[in-house]
Amino acid sequence: MQFSAIPGHQDIKQVLIKAAQNQKVAHGLLFKGQEGTANLTLAISFATYLNCEQPTDTDSCGECSSCKKMSKLAHPDVNFFFPMARNENVPKNEPPSRQYFIKDFRNIIAKNPYLNENDWAETIGVANKQLSIPVDEARVIKDSVSLVAYEGKYKVVIIWLPEYFNTQAANALLKILEEPQHQTLFFLVTNEPEQLLITITSRTQAISVPQFDEQQIADYLIAHEGIQEKQAQQIALLADGNLNAAIKMIAHETDPFFPFFSEWMRHCFGKKVIDMVDDTDVFAKLGREVQKSFLLYSCQMIRKAFVMNKQVPELVKLPKEEFAFIEKFSPYIHLGNIDHIFEMLSQGYTHIERNGNPKMIFLDSSLQLMQAFRQPAP
Ligand SMILES: [Zn+2]
């Protein structure tokens, strides 16, 4: 993976490249950013750059044998560690270890390097289990850096989601970080830096990776997913800075409206008026046909929540993430408010159809929803 595959983030890329050129790369780097940011892809691209045989001022070459190995995440001097849980590939008498998962990891990163831990858990067939990085993995990390780099200039250990270390493993990692080896680097890639031990974060240099903006997400979707500009723009708007959400919408793993709908409901329920106004701006940009589809989708989801509340969840067929949301949301949709909510959404639909002002319609619906959620169940 090269820097050029990541939209935007020029400032971070330049800081990293300068550090490499001046041979001043910190022994431990903490790439921190929310889900769907470039935290992992920047770490991988930087490891590629560091071991590239012919790097330029802006990127790795992409052609040399080191870059080719990195493109398959199969460079012998760059090792990946990640959360895991026992699955059928792990022999019964052995603890889970990266060797049983690395092939899956390479495959999923090739498809979607912006994935979250739930996507990963599903990939390795442990969606209902607790992920962790077991303490034995700290020993494997130590072994992986005990030899000098034999092909590349640097040995790099990339730990994806170190927040999944249990305490014992985190302490073992701390020991390793405290004893830096020559030309050995640790890249910690976290979505939740506040979950890490302060002793770990204090031994790393933090790189804050901001969310993608709408244009960057649209550019990525056009370049990597081969979709048309207009559709890319719409999905980018709904994805709200999360490139993973956008990629999953295109793969139809979630409904394109789901992230926006769930956020909207959370804001209305939590009386977050400023966020509701932001949602209104997004809605206004969607275009009339999409606005109508969104209101219909909202009606369907509200109906599903009502059915769920009536204790017939088997009638509710939805992808996992949407099902989980509706399950939590269902207590707040009941006979005391469902008629009012439906009436309000269908009125919104009619007004949009008759060229009403989408901002006014959406904001009014948001305020009415906020009140409807306060109605007691009969
Ligand atoms: Zn190269």
Side-chain angles (χ1 to χ4, degrees), residues 82-83 101 104-105 108 116-124 160:
F82 35 74
F101 301 95
D104 288 327
F105 189 75
I108 186 87
N116 64 23
E117 57 265 54
N118 295 330
D119 306 325
W120 171 236
E122 274 184 34
T123 302
I124 56 172
W160 182 54

Side-chain angles (χ1 to χ4, degrees), residues 7 14 34-35 38 98 131 189 201 215 265 273 282 345 364:
Q14 273 312 310
Q34 294 172 33
E35 181 207 330
R98 72 184 282 280
L131 290 171
V189 179
T201 48
Q215 194 54 50
M265 290 301 115
V273 178
V282 171
L345 289 172
D364 184 51

Side-chain angles (χ1 to χ4, degrees), residues 64-83:
C64 68
S65 77
S66 172
C67 282
K68 289 218 167 99
K69 283 175 192 149
M70 273 308 291
S71 73
K72 297 185 206 131
L73 305 189
H75 196 295
D77 292 320
V78 179
N79 285 304
F80 290 86
F81 293 85
F82 35 74

Side-chain angles (χ1 to χ4, degrees), residues 37-298:
T37 61
N39 53 5
L40 177 60
T41 47
L42 280 167
I44 297 175
S45 303
F46 190 39
T48 306
Y49 185 88
L50 285 167
N51 278 329
C52 174
E53 290 156 23
Q54 293 164 316
T56 69
D57 284 347
T58 53
D59 214 336
S60 48
C61 76
E63 300 288 329
C64 68
S65 77
S66 172
C67 282
K68 289 218 167 99
K69 283 175 192 149
M70 273 308 291
S71 73
K72 297 185 206 131
L73 305 189
H75 196 295
D77 292 320
V78 179
N79 285 304
F80 290 86
F81 293 85
F82 35 74
M84 58 189 79
R86 179 176 290 282
N87 71 5
E88 59 192 19
N89 296 341
V90 181
K92 286 215 161 50
N93 50 355
E94 284 186 42
S97 172
R98 72 184 282 280
Q99 59 176 312
Y100 302 113
F101 301 95
I102 185 70
K103 213 172 133 209
D104 288 327
F105 189 75
R106 287 182 183 131
N107 288 340
I108 186 87
I109 296 292
K111 278 189 211 141
N112 175 11
Y114 295 93
L115 79 170
N116 64 23
E117 57 265 54
N118 295 330
D119 306 325
W120 171 236
E122 274 184 34
T123 302
I124 56 172
V126 298
N128 299 318
K129 292 187 186 170
Q130 182 70 43
L131 290 171
S132 76
I133 306 182
V135 66
D136 291 333
E137 286 299 275
R139 184 183 46 77
V140 183
I141 293 173
K142 195 161 188 228
D143 290 347
S144 81
V145 299
S146 60
L147 301 165
V148 287
Y150 56 95
E151 272 192 22
K153 302 172 209 165
Y154 291 93
K155 280 204 98 92
V156 187
V157 173
I158 299 183
I159 304 173
W160 182 54
L161 307 181
E163 50 268 37
Y164 280 89
F165 272 115
N166 62 33
T167 317
Q168 209 186 350
N171 282 319
L173 173 69
L174 190 59
K175 283 223 175 65
I176 301 170
L177 286 174
E178 276 170 343
E179 296 163 13
Q181 309 267 344
H182 183 61
Q183 300 297 78
T184 297
L185 307 173
F186 289 86
F187 295 174
L188 276 52
V189 179
T190 178
N191 291 350
E192 292 183 81
E194 63 282 357
Q195 301 287 330
L196 298 174
L197 294 178
I198 289 177
T199 39
I200 287 185
T201 48
S202 65
R203 278 175 180 74
T204 56
Q205 185 182 321
I207 295 173
S208 296
V209 182
Q211 285 203 303
F212 288 107
D213 65 27
E214 280 158 24
Q215 194 54 50
Q216 289 164 350
I217 290 187
D219 289 347
Y220 182 91
L221 297 179
I222 293 164
H224 294 263
E225 305 284 335
I227 62 165
Q228 299 294 314
E229 179 154 9
K230 194 171 170 217
Q231 195 196 358
Q233 301 278 8
Q234 271 168 2
I235 289 181
L237 265 175
L238 293 167
D240 197 22
N242 181 338
L243 185 48
N244 184 38
I247 291 168
K248 288 203 286 192
M249 285 178 208
I250 297 204
H252 297 292
E253 283 169 28
T254 52
D255 192 286
F257 289 134
F258 173 65
F260 183 62
F261 172 77
S262 54
E263 283 299 289
W264 184 38
M265 290 301 115
R266 282 191 188 105
H267 296 154
C268 294
F269 184 78
K271 296 201 232 175
K272 298 199 166 138
V273 178
I274 294 171
D275 292 324
M276 281 154 57
V277 173
D278 288 344
D279 294 338
T280 302
D281 291 333
V282 171
F283 181 80
K285 288 188 207 158
L286 290 177
R288 245 164 246 284
E289 285 313 306
V290 182
Q291 287 161 351
K292 276 158 59 185
S293 306
F294 175 73
L295 292 174
L296 287 180
Y297 173 82
S298 303

